[in-house]
Amino acid sequence: MELEWKKIEVQDRALFLPYLYSLASRSAETTFANLYLWSRQYPTGYAVVGDFLVMKSLEEEVFAFPAGTGDLRKIVEALDAYQRERGQALAFQCVTREQFAQLEALFPGRFQIEYDRDYADYVYDAEKLANLSGKKYHGKKNHVNKFQKQYPDWSYEPMTADNLEDCFQMALIWRRENGCEEDVEKNAEMCVALNALRLFTELSMEGGVLRVGGEVVAFTLGEQACEDTFVVHIEKARADIDGAYTMINQQFVQHALLGKYKYVNREDDVGAEGLRKAKLSYHPAFMVDKGYVTEK
């Protein structure tokens, strides 16, 4: 089997969405903007094979879980044959527990999976993030109340073409103040954030903006993953504005997501201790575990 791997482009969104939605996955890795933006940092190619969209790392011999409604057994066997022809082993990355169960049902005992806690997504109940009610969220609610008292001239607004430039300028300040140019991983993350703002409209994302005294102090943006889940890809706030992160998190869910989505995926913590502590403090409803699949 010959496959021509195409580079993911913005205009491929219409092609990708039906395939991605067919997965009915709450994983951040199954959203188009996320795939497109990070494919600039980690080159990824795609090909349509029969009834499936197949994605492959162009730097490693590893595939994403096939997206489509056709015969999964057939496409897995086809990819296995493709790899064997090239002297390579078949492997899949970012496979969820539900997806691995599908492989196990079709190929009992053939595959094994190794989950990586550092890349498990945190998924929250949207209503709880919006209301911050109850004893568990008492501290978060206090942060919001303190912010509102300390900054009485605060305001929230949806992200639109009219305020993108203000967000872009705040992001540049954030990059400078957080030493992104000296840190490869931080720099890659900021490149993704800046490109997300540049292509906000083209990628059909949704976002929110927090201002204090008319100046942008925080912004957030993301996209739908499946029918009941929204993924927050990017959230940035000024360190000198106490409570800005808590406030933009709560306000965005309250104004933009509540009533439309049951869950909010706030992605993984990449193993960073501080980030893990912060994400756990919001009490996730569950985690989306993802692993690396190989043949036994």
Side-chain angles (χ1 to χ4, degrees):
M1 179 174 65
E2 290 294 328
L3 291 178
E4 179 184 351
W5 299 106
K6 300 178 182 178
K7 185 179 179 180
I8 303 174
E9 302 292 354
V10 174
Q11 57 267 28
D12 292 323
R13 184 175 183 271
L15 169 67
F16 271 58
L17 287 189
Y19 291 107
L20 296 177
Y21 288 159
S22 75
L23 291 168
S25 173
R26 298 189 178 103
S27 169
E29 273 73 27
T30 57
T31 56
F32 179 74
N34 195 50
L35 289 168
Y36 168 76
L37 291 166
W38 281 101
S39 71
R40 271 49 196 163
Q41 303 296 324
Y42 303 103
T44 303
Y46 79 90
V48 174
V49 185
D51 298 320
F52 285 89
L53 174 73
V54 178
M55 286 173 285
K56 180 184 180 296
S57 167
L58 298 181
E59 296 181 326
E60 302 174 53
E61 291 298 329
V62 61
F63 298 89
F65 190 82
T69 55
D71 187 337
L72 181 61
R73 178 192 295 275
K74 186 176 180 180
I75 188 64
V76 170
E77 294 287 21
L79 293 178
D80 184 43
Y82 171 78
Q83 288 295 82
R84 288 179 187 277
E85 288 172 7
R86 302 165 63 251
Q88 301 291 339
L90 180 63
F92 298 98
Q93 64 182 353
C94 297
V95 175
T96 66
R97 291 186 181 277
E98 293 79 9
Q99 291 165 350
F100 185 69
Q102 293 180 54
L103 288 175
E104 186 63 22
L106 292 172
F107 307 98
R110 177 174 169 180
F111 293 98
Q112 59 190 355
I113 186 167
E114 183 177 350
Y115 294 103
D116 190 334
R117 172 64 178 80
D118 293 351
Y119 296 100
D121 289 343
Y122 293 75
V123 182
Y124 305 86
D125 185 293
E127 186 175 358
K128 291 180 179 179
L129 286 186
N131 298 324
L132 300 177
S133 56
K135 185 180 292 186
K136 288 196 300 184
Y137 294 95
H138 182 69
K140 301 297 182 185
K141 190 71 171 180
N142 282 344
H143 280 307
V144 168
N145 292 336
K146 181 181 177 181
F147 179 93
Q148 292 174 331
K149 288 181 180 179
Q150 189 171 354
Y151 306 105
D153 56 351
W154 74 274
S155 64
Y156 170 86
E157 61 198 54
M159 186 176 287
T160 67
D162 294 331
N163 54 31
L164 282 174
E165 181 58 29
D166 289 346
C167 294
F168 195 86
Q169 293 304 317
M170 196 220 90
L172 292 177
I173 294 172
W174 194 98
R175 181 175 67 174
R176 185 171 61 250
E177 292 182 346
N178 285 271
C180 293
E181 293 181 4
E182 292 79 37
D183 187 307
V184 175
E185 291 185 3
K186 278 187 178 181
N187 189 57
E189 181 189 341
M190 275 314 298
C191 285
V192 167
L194 293 171
N195 283 331
L197 289 171
R198 287 191 186 101
L199 296 168
F200 177 77
T201 302
E202 291 87 341
L203 291 171
S204 297
M205 289 192 285
E206 191 167 359
V209 180
L210 186 68
R211 294 181 186 269
V212 168
E215 292 187 11
V216 173
V217 297
F219 66 85
T220 185
L221 68 158
E223 63 185 317
Q224 181 178 359
C226 61
E227 186 176 359
D228 67 0
T229 304
F230 185 93
V231 181
V232 173
H233 292 316
I234 295 160
E235 184 179 86
K236 297 298 177 190
R238 275 174 42 183
D240 61 322
I241 304 296
D242 190 33
Y245 274 110
T246 306
M247 194 68 177
I248 189 61
N249 182 341
Q250 188 248 7
Q251 288 293 302
F252 179 55
V253 177
Q254 190 176 87
H255 288 280
L257 308 183
L258 193 60
K260 291 168 61 178
Y261 301 98
K262 181 174 175 60
Y263 298 111
V264 180
N265 179 331
R266 291 181 56 79
E267 298 195 346
D268 55 47
D269 61 32
V270 297
E273 185 177 349
L275 192 55
R276 179 166 298 185
K277 183 178 180 181
K279 288 180 182 285
L280 287 172
S281 72
Y282 276 97
H283 308 288
F286 56 89
M287 308 289 289
V288 176
D289 295 317
K290 292 168 286 187
Y292 194 89
V293 171
T294 53
E295 292 191 85
K296 289 184 178 178

